[in-house]
Amino acid sequence: MSTDTQSQSTSPPNTITVFDRRLNPEQTLKRLLVHLVLGFSVFVMAVPILIAAIVSTQEVGIVTSFSDLLPGSQLIDNYQTVMTDYNFGVYLMNSFIMSIIIVVGKLAISLFAALAIVYYDFPFKNLMFLIILFTLMLPVPVRFVPLFNIVTDLGWYNSMLALTIPYLASATTVFLLRQHFYSIPASIVEQAKLDGIGPFKFLIYVLIPMSKGMLAGVSVIMFIYAWNQYLWPLVIIDSQSQQVTQVGITLLQGDIQAGELQWAIVMAGAIITLIPPLLALIIFKKPLLETFGVQQK
C-alpha cells in the first residue's frame, strides 16, 4: 500500500480544518458581518479617546457641534502649556517612581510568598493561602480610615512611603505565581536538591529565569494598576509637588479662565497620562497575553 493511500485511509472523510481558507459565499458573508461588528465595537470604545485627542488640539475645547470635532491648531501650545506651566512633568515623574516601586515590591514579596507556599511545608499552609486570597474581597477604600491613621502615626504623610507601602502586597500576584510554580516539573526541583542549591539560589537561578514571561505579564498589570491610582494619593498627599498625574488632571480642571474651563488643556493632560501605560501594553503585549493564557495566531 502506498503512502498516499495510507494517509487517505487514516484521515476522516469530509474533514474541515480551522485553517481551511476556501469559504463559500454564505461563510464569507458571515465573516464580513463579524468583522463589521468587531470593527464597530472597537470604534465605539475608541471614540472617547479620539474626541479627547482632537479636543486637546483646539484653543478652548468646548464641543457644541460636529464642526467642533475637527483638529485644531493648538496641538504643540497646549501640550507645552501642560508640561511647563502646570508642572505636569513632575506629576508624571512621581507616578512613574510610585509605579516602579510598587511593581518591584509586589514582585519581590509575591515571589517569596509563592516560593514558601509551593516548596515548603509548614503548619496551616493551606489556611494561610486562603487568608491571602480572602484579602481579594477586601477593597482598598474600606481600609482607608485605619490606613490613614497608621500612615500618619508613622510620619509618612505626604511622602512616597505613604503612596507605595500600602500597595506592596498582592494576593492576585501570589496566586498567579503559585499556579505557575506548580507547573514547573518536579524533576528540576529534585535535581536542585541533589545539587545542594539553597532556596534563594533556586529562586534566583531557576524559578525567575523560568518565569520571565509570567513576571513580565504580571508586571504590566501591576504597573497599570499602580499608575491609575488616584483616590489614595488624593487622601494622603497634600503637596502639589508630591502629587501623581491622575490627581494632576483634576488640578488642571481647577484653572478657569474667563468663566470657562479650559477643556483643551485638561484633555491634553489626559492624553499625556495615557501614554506610559499604553507604551507598556505595546512593549509587553506578548508576555501579557501569555499570562492570561491567550493564544495568538
Side-chain angles (χ1 to χ4, degrees):
M1 185 180 291
S2 66
T3 307
D4 293 339
T5 307
Q6 289 178 353
S7 61
Q8 290 176 1
S9 62
T10 54
S11 300
N14 300 325
T15 299
I16 299 177
T17 68
V18 293
F19 302 105
D20 192 356
R21 301 293 184 185
R22 294 170 298 179
L23 301 176
N24 56 42
E26 183 180 357
Q27 291 174 321
T28 303
L29 180 60
K30 287 182 179 179
R31 176 167 291 188
L32 179 62
L33 290 175
V34 169
H35 280 78
L36 287 175
V37 171
L38 292 176
F40 179 74
S41 302
V42 172
F43 176 75
V44 169
M45 288 187 288
V47 162
I49 298 176
L50 292 176
I51 293 177
I54 293 173
V55 168
S56 68
T57 65
Q58 297 174 349
E59 184 175 359
V60 179
I62 298 177
V63 178
T64 58
S65 63
F66 284 107
S67 60
D68 295 329
L69 293 178
L70 296 175
S73 59
Q74 302 295 315
L75 172 65
I76 298 177
D77 292 339
N78 288 342
Y79 282 85
Q80 189 174 10
T81 300
V82 170
M83 295 298 293
T84 57
D85 296 354
Y86 293 92
N87 294 323
F88 217 71
V90 176
Y91 305 147
L92 287 173
M93 182 58 66
N94 291 336
S95 286
F96 185 76
I97 294 173
M98 178 189 72
S99 302
I100 292 298
I101 293 176
I102 289 176
V103 169
V104 174
K106 276 189 175 184
L107 277 184
I109 294 175
S110 300
L111 278 171
F112 285 120
L115 176 72
I117 291 172
V118 175
Y119 296 106
Y120 285 87
D121 290 325
F122 53 88
F124 309 109
K125 184 172 75 170
N126 293 331
L127 178 61
M128 294 294 292
F129 180 62
L130 288 176
I131 292 175
I132 292 174
L133 292 182
F134 181 75
T135 59
L136 289 173
M137 294 181 283
L138 194 64
V140 174
V142 174
R143 295 172 277 171
F144 268 13
V145 174
L147 194 58
F148 181 84
N149 293 331
I150 294 173
V151 169
T152 51
D153 290 342
L154 291 172
W156 293 352
Y157 182 77
N158 216 25
S159 69
M160 189 58 71
L161 289 174
L163 285 176
T164 55
I165 297 298
Y167 288 98
L168 293 187
S170 173
T172 304
T173 308
V174 173
F175 174 76
L176 291 174
L177 291 177
R178 171 185 178 270
Q179 298 305 113
H180 177 70
F181 287 170
Y182 273 128
S183 68
I184 293 177
S187 59
I188 296 179
V189 181
E190 295 299 327
Q191 184 63 43
K193 290 180 179 178
L194 292 175
D195 293 340
I197 297 178
F200 289 105
K201 284 188 176 180
F202 181 68
L203 175 66
I204 294 173
Y205 295 109
V206 178
L207 290 181
I208 291 179
M210 295 185 68
S211 310
K212 286 181 179 177
M214 171 65 69
L215 295 176
V218 170
S219 298
V220 174
I221 298 171
M222 291 188 295
F223 180 83
I224 296 174
Y225 170 79
W227 185 269
N228 290 328
Q229 291 301 315
Y230 67 95
L231 192 55
W232 176 245
L234 185 64
V235 171
I236 202 64
I237 299 297
D238 189 32
S239 171
Q240 288 193 11
S241 62
Q242 300 290 329
Q243 199 50 269
V244 297
T245 181
Q246 300 292 347
V247 183
I249 296 176
T250 63
L251 299 177
L252 297 179
Q253 296 177 6
D255 189 39
I256 300 176
Q257 297 180 3
E260 292 183 349
L261 184 62
Q262 299 298 304
W263 283 111
I265 300 298
V266 176
M267 291 300 107
I271 294 298
I272 292 174
T273 304
L274 287 176
I275 293 175
L278 183 62
L279 290 176
L281 283 175
I282 294 173
I283 295 173
F284 297 101
K285 173 188 171 185
K286 184 177 179 181
L288 181 63
L289 294 178
E290 290 176 352
T291 302
F292 287 106
V294 179
Q295 300 294 326
Q296 298 185 82
K297 294 178 180 179

